Amino acid sequence: MRAGIDLVRAEGSAALSLREIARRAGVSHGAPRRHFPTHLQLLSTIARAGFADLAARVATALADAPADPRARVVLLAGVYARFATEERGMFELMFRHDLLESGHLGLRGTSMPLFGLLVDLVAEAKPADAPPEVTAGALWAGLHGVVQLWNWGSLPLATGLPGPEPLLEAVITAHMGGVR
Amino acid sequence: MRAGIDLVRAEGSAALSLREIARRAGVSHGAPRRHFPTHLQLLSTIARAGFADLAARVATALADAPADPRARVVLLAGVYARFATEERGMFELMFRHDLLESGHLGLRGTSMPLFGLLVDLVAEAKPADAPPEVTAGALWAGLHGVVQLWNWGSLPLATGLPGPEPLLEAVITAHMGGVR
DNA sequence: TGGCAGGAGTAGACAACGTCTACGATCTCC
DNA sequence: GGAGATCGTAGACGTTGTCTACTCCTGCCA
């Protein structure tokens, strides 16, 4: 499993074959089967570790941050975007549809605590607006979409910007208002 | 190629093996190689057909629609979301990172006309605001993120909503203002 | 202390896949 | 009517995920 995490960070999500992971771990190709009944389950477990890592990064970033909810969302977005570029292979793995769909293993639920945090921040910032789940959902989708479309080059090509930061700012401002 | 399009619509993007496409087309597994040097190039071509289909649907939907730019964006978002759910396999294929990245074949560019349309609509609606490319980029990312996260179940789980429409509305309103 | 059940790893088989190569058919144009 | 190009076939090769038999090793209980 640790071998899988190292591998996805070093070689990207496309290199994560079951046999290559076993090779890196120094065991035979049948060994992982004792612990993970199928390849997808192994990948799901690795992806879950990725979600845990992301949540930990967000937590440490928000630990000693100002209390203003908008500032905290900006921080969160920065961590999200940095994670997606620095841990690109892991990010790709985490949001592979075939993992999330065929799962039923609750991989989806792994991102819910982070979403709950976002809901709280939105509710704190705009208590009397639309339901905070809706605003937070749209906000999350905006951040995710920017990161994803930016990461594979569609948004850089479309906007000509040097970095995704203006887009993240635009998303946050659109959903949470401007600086106060 | 037509066999590939039929296959992805019937069985999803995971079923698109080169040999299965050839089987459906009634030819041997080596035959596609005469026309597409590699499997990825065949998939890219199929994905390009998907982008063309999406653009055509948007065009017909906007053909006899009111001139109000916000209403047109709402229409565009609806077509985008409907395409993603009705042609789920094709949509997954169109935004597979390994196609867009390893390409250099200009698959990315295929979505640029649609983006240009969005830029125009944004510029028309809010002529004196932030650069229209930035707003349009954030808007596109928001729509794409909603559709994607909705499609694989994260957003339904997070928000508890029955459909993605409120989220799409929230994204559009956030970036283009409310109804007038 | 001896025997033994169960977990963990190995090695090999199998079908399916993408790629490559040699070969055959068919069609066009000089 | 034959030459050349285009297209499809058939088989090989290496790799992958899964499955099955076999072998250790470890800890427990009589």
Side-chain angles (χ1 to χ4, degrees):
Chain A
M1 227 218 99
R2 225 168 313 159
I5 297 179
D6 293 348
L7 183 57
V8 73
R9 299 180 65 175
E11 308 278 342
S13 68
L16 274 182
S17 76
L18 186 131
R19 288 169 114 104
E20 180 63 26
I21 296 175
R23 236 169 276 142
R24 297 259 177 155
V27 295
S28 75
H29 66 273
R33 190 148 215 278
R34 293 281 154 201
H35 310 272
F36 307 96
T38 181
H39 184 208
L40 276 184
Q41 303 228 16
L42 171 54
L43 294 189
S44 291
T45 309
I46 297 176
R48 211 184 314 252
F51 277 111
D53 183 17
L54 174 60
R57 294 189 190 205
V58 169
T60 65
L62 293 188
D64 40 15
D68 171 44
R70 188 186 192 278
R72 292 174 83 83
V73 169
V74 169
L75 252 157
L76 189 151
V79 173
Y80 202 87
R82 212 169 317 118
F83 184 89
T85 59
E86 287 175 3
E87 305 287 340
R88 187 186 181 111
M90 181 62 94
F91 190 79
E92 286 173 3
L93 178 67
M94 286 159 62
F95 290 97
R96 264 179 52 172
H97 52 274
D98 51 329
L99 289 187
L100 291 156
E101 284 174 4
S102 77
H104 302 102
L105 348 127
L107 215 186
R108 258 187 292 266
T110 313
S111 53
M112 286 309 110
L114 210 51
F115 181 73
L117 172 63
L118 201 57
V119 171
D120 291 344
L121 289 175
V122 167
E124 191 183 347
K126 310 179 68 178
D129 217 350
E133 292 85 10
V134 172
T135 304
L139 178 56
W140 180 25
L143 297 179
H144 186 79
V146 166
V147 166
Q148 186 127 36
L149 291 179
W150 183 270
N151 234 14
W152 67 34
S154 294
L155 271 180
L157 179 62
T159 63
L161 291 170
E165 294 80 15
L167 294 167
L168 295 174
E169 262 293 325
V171 168
I172 296 173
T173 300
H175 288 288
M176 301 193 65
V179 292
R180 30 183 88 180
Chain B
M1 226 216 102
R2 225 167 314 160
I5 297 179
D6 293 349
L7 183 57
V8 74
R9 298 180 65 174
E11 308 278 342
S13 69
L16 274 181
S17 77
L18 185 122
R19 290 169 111 103
E20 181 63 26
I21 296 175
R23 234 169 279 140
R24 298 260 176 154
V27 296
S28 75
H29 67 273
R33 189 148 217 278
R34 293 282 156 202
H35 309 271
F36 307 96
T38 182
H39 183 209
L40 276 184
Q41 302 227 16
L42 171 54
L43 295 188
S44 291
T45 308
I46 296 175
R48 210 184 313 253
F51 277 111
D53 183 17
L54 174 59
R57 293 187 190 208
V58 170
T60 64
L62 292 187
D64 41 13
D68 172 44
R70 189 185 190 278
R72 293 175 83 83
V73 169
V74 169
L75 253 157
L76 189 151
V79 173
Y80 202 86
R82 213 170 317 117
F83 183 88
T85 59
E86 286 174 4
E87 306 288 340
R88 187 186 180 110
M90 181 63 93
F91 190 78
E92 286 173 4
L93 177 68
M94 285 160 61
F95 290 97
R96 265 180 51 173
H97 52 275
D98 52 330
L99 288 186
L100 291 156
E101 285 175 2
S102 75
H104 302 100
L105 349 127
L107 214 185
R108 258 186 292 265
T110 314
S111 53
M112 287 309 109
L114 211 50
F115 181 73
L117 172 62
L118 201 57
V119 171
D120 290 344
L121 289 175
V122 166
E124 190 183 346
K126 310 179 69 175
D129 216 351
E133 293 85 10
V134 171
T135 303
L139 178 55
W140 180 27
L143 299 179
H144 186 78
V146 165
V147 167
Q148 186 128 37
L149 291 178
W150 183 270
N151 234 13
W152 65 37
S154 294
L155 271 181
L157 180 62
T159 63
L161 291 171
E165 293 79 14
L167 295 167
L168 295 174
E169 263 293 326
V171 168
I172 296 173
T173 299
H175 287 289
M176 299 192 66
V179 291
R180 34 184 83 178

